[in-house]
């Protein structure tokens, strides 16, 4: 998959997996990594789907209606890419924390839903429930931040709450953070995610 890799302070420390929103690129979320953990390694990936010129991580049938076959296929593809990248670049595969926005948050959620060891944690900005009626892996203690909008027209607030319930039900430690700015990713939400990350992953720093 097309991507950017940037070695941080220590290959043994956290690697942030950056996953852009629909129409974004592998460069979009690089400033977020700086705000969250300037010392982390960065693996920022471009989605393989081209929807009328807009990059995405999986196909959809219409707005908010996912092509579930493709979602599963693309989730497996990203999972395999993570494993290959860890071998190629030498980062610790067990310390990958996803940071996704919108469509990127949805594929990150799908990684969590399908694989027990895919991620060490996740920051999901404006995610939806990626797939339903799936038996979820044991996520005991897995730190997950959900940034949601009370008035998000694309990811309705009920769906953010449903995702919280599903992840928490599987054992994840979820912080559901609300903003009132629709689907936008705003500076206060990024700050809340960064504060949550500092608390959740302080043990992971290489200092
Ligand atoms: C999706 O298709 O993943 C969601 O509707 C969010 C988006 O439009 O990217």
């Amino acid at each position: 998959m097309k991507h950017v890799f940037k070695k941080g302070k220590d290959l043994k420390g956290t690697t942030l997996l950056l996953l852009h929103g629909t129409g974004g690129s592998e460069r979009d979320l690089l400033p977020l990594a700086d705000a969250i953990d300037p010392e982390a390694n960065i693996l920022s990936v471009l989605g393989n789907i081209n929807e009328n010129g807009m990059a995405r991580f999986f196909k959809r049938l219409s707005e908010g209606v996912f092509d579930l076959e493709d979602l599963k296929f693309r989730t497996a593809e990203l999972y395999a890419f993570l494993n290959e990248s860890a071998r190629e670049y030498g980062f610790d595969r067990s310390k990958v924390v996803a940071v996704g926005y919108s469509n990127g948050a949805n594929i990150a959620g799908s990684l969590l839903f399908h694989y027990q060891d895919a991620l060490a944690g996740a920051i999901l900005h404006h995610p939806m429930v990626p797939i339903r009626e799936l038996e979820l892996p044991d996520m005991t203690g897995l730190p997950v931040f959900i940034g949601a909008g009370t008035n998000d027209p694309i990811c309705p607030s009920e769906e953010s709450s449903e995702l919280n319930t599903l992840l928490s039900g599987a054992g994840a430690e979820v912080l559901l953070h609300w903003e009132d700015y629709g689907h936008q990713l705003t500076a206060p939400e990024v700050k809340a995610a960064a504060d949550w990350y500092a608390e959740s992953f302080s043990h992971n720093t290489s200092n």
Side-chain angles (χ1 to χ4, degrees):
M1 298 182 78
K2 191 170 177 223
H3 65 280
V4 171
F5 179 76
K6 287 190 177 176
K7 184 182 169 299
K9 190 177 168 206
D10 184 356
L11 281 172
K12 294 194 199 83
T14 300
T15 295
L16 296 177
L17 168 67
L18 306 182
L19 303 164
H20 62 80
T22 298
S25 84
E26 71 280 20
R27 307 215 67 86
D28 277 15
L29 300 190
L30 293 175
L32 281 192
D34 248 358
I36 294 163
D37 185 351
E39 294 188 349
N41 308 301
I42 298 173
L43 180 64
S44 188
V45 185
L46 178 70
N48 265 344
I49 301 298
N50 179 337
E51 184 191 84
N52 304 320
M54 295 186 298
R56 287 178 54 85
F57 287 96
F58 56 89
K59 291 182 190 161
R60 60 181 163 182
L61 305 174
S62 60
E63 176 68 62
V65 182
F66 301 155
D67 177 334
L68 295 180
E69 280 315 305
D70 192 63
L71 174 71
K72 286 179 204 164
F73 177 80
R74 298 295 167 189
T75 304
E77 181 181 56
L78 181 57
Y79 181 73
F81 176 73
L82 284 176
N83 296 341
E84 275 161 33
S85 299
R87 280 194 293 273
E88 182 179 346
Y89 294 115
F91 62 80
D92 185 337
R93 177 66 187 85
S94 70
K95 289 190 184 161
V96 175
V97 176
V99 181
Y101 168 60
S102 192
N103 183 244
N106 292 338
I107 192 98
S110 184
L111 279 172
L112 294 176
F113 273 35
H114 285 94
Y115 301 99
Q116 180 158 22
D117 58 351
L119 299 171
I123 295 176
L124 307 176
H125 291 294
H126 301 262
M128 297 168 70
V129 174
I131 183 167
R132 292 186 171 79
E133 286 156 29
L134 192 71
E135 194 178 329
L136 302 188
D138 181 2
M139 298 186 203
T140 301
L142 188 85
V144 179
F145 174 96
I146 299 177
T150 53
N151 52 353
D152 186 332
I154 295 174
C155 304
S157 59
E158 304 78 44
E159 206 157 321
S160 312
S161 301
E162 184 187 350
L163 183 62
N164 178 17
T165 305
L166 290 170
L167 292 170
S168 302
E173 296 284 336
V174 184
L175 175 68
L176 176 55
H177 172 88
W178 293 101
E179 296 282 348
D180 305 317
Y181 298 99
H183 194 56
Q184 278 181 67
L185 178 52
T186 58
E189 185 173 317
V190 172
K191 165 91 172 60
D195 290 349
W196 167 89
Y197 174 93
E199 250 183 56
S200 306
F201 293 97
S202 48
H203 62 281
N204 236 1
T205 55
S206 45
N207 311 323

